[in-house]
């Protein structure tokens, strides 16, 4: 079946620290992979995506590479800011999912000055 | 600007009452979804619709109902049968999958927070 396993939180980092949030997946087809961000009291916003193996998605200094060999899509940022404090969700959809979306449980990130 | 509008943003309900959450999109998307989010939890799928006049139950459909009479609208009714309805509700949409099987990303509304008094 299809599923996403995401690194447990919460994660607390100092400003300018390096961020990694791990995400691995299982899929029956050829999924697209996504990272969404949710700020308090708001809906989810797409942060970045990758549609095929070896693609790298990037946005606002965040990056993630679609690794088919390790079934992973880890989120990274070289230097986090206080404004990056939010909950991050990894998700998959696409081939073999019937246009369904499978989400990880979310990782809460707090960046302290 | 195209997007998804959910209303109301905050809603209070007395026990035994039905309430309806509105979701409207002007993105011309075929597929629409309702998710429930509890504090510190991930998203759980309530109902989804891939086309007008058709919808399917998700993982936690009991105590909820939906309709899809128009492409742009997908209202969710939380009935009195839902025993623990206090939660944050998110509506989302995406285009229908193309020949590659991928519909692209999911677009979300700002959410509706329902509290049972």
């Amino acid at each position: 079946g299809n599923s996403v396993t995401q690194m447990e939180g919460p994660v607390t980092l100092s400003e300018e620290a390096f961020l990694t949030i791990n995400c691995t997946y299982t899929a029956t087809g050829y999924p697209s992979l996504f990272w969404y961000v949710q700020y308090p009291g708001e809906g989810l916003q797409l942060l970045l995506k990758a549609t095929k193996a070896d693609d790298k998605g990037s946005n606002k200094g965040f990056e993630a590479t679609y690794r088919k060999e390790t079934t992973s899509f880890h989120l990274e940022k070289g230097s986090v800011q206080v404004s990056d404090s939010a909950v991050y969700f990894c998700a998959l959809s696409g081939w073999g999912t019937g246009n369904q979306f499978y989400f990880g449980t979310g990782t809460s990130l707090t960046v302290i000055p | 600007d195209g997007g998804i509008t959910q209303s109301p943003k905050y809603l209070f309900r007395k026990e035994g009452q039905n309430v309806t959450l509105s979701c409207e999109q002007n993105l011309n998307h075929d597929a629409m979804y309702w998710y429930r989010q509890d504090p510190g939890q991930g998203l759980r799928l309530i109902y989804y619709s891939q086309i007008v006049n058709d919808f399917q139950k998700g993982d936690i459909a009991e105590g909820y109902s939906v309709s899809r009479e128009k492409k742009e609208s997908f209202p969710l009714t939380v009935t009195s049968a839902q025993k623990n309805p206090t939660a944050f509700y998110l509506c989302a949409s995406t285009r229908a999958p193309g020949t590659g099987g991928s519909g692209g990303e999911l677009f979300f509304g700002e959410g509706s927070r329902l509290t049972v008094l």
Side-chain angles (χ1 to χ4, degrees), chain A residues 36 38 49 94-95 98-100, chain B residues 33 37 48 50 100-101 105-106:
Chain A
Y36 284 86
Q38 184 180 34
K49 68 177 182 181
W95 261 113
N99 212 24
Q100 289 304 302
Chain B
Y33 307 76
Q37 187 177 29
Y48 64 101
Q50 303 280 16
E105 65 262 33
L106 205 54

Side-chain angles (χ1 to χ4, degrees), chain B residues 19-94:
Chain B
V19 294
T20 297
L21 307 181
S22 170
C23 178
E24 302 279 332
Q25 55 97 358
N26 60 4
L27 299 166
N28 199 32
H29 285 166
D30 291 288
M32 297 186 74
Y33 307 76
W34 274 105
Y35 293 92
R36 169 177 171 146
Q37 187 177 29
D38 293 285
Q41 303 292 313
L43 304 177
R44 291 188 289 170
L45 182 64
I46 305 172
Y47 269 99
Y48 64 101
S49 168
Q50 303 280 16
I51 196 169
V52 174
N53 291 323
D54 189 39
F55 48 83
Q56 286 78 41
K57 293 181 179 179
D59 301 319
I60 57 164
E62 185 175 352
Y64 300 97
S65 66
V66 293
S67 63
R68 187 84 187 277
E69 298 176 0
K70 298 186 296 182
K71 186 175 184 178
E72 59 270 24
S73 178
F74 192 41
L76 173 73
T77 296
V78 184
T79 75
S80 56
Q82 170 49 237
K83 297 307 178 188
N84 186 22
T86 294
F88 190 53
Y89 291 88
L90 288 162
C91 180
S93 72
T94 189

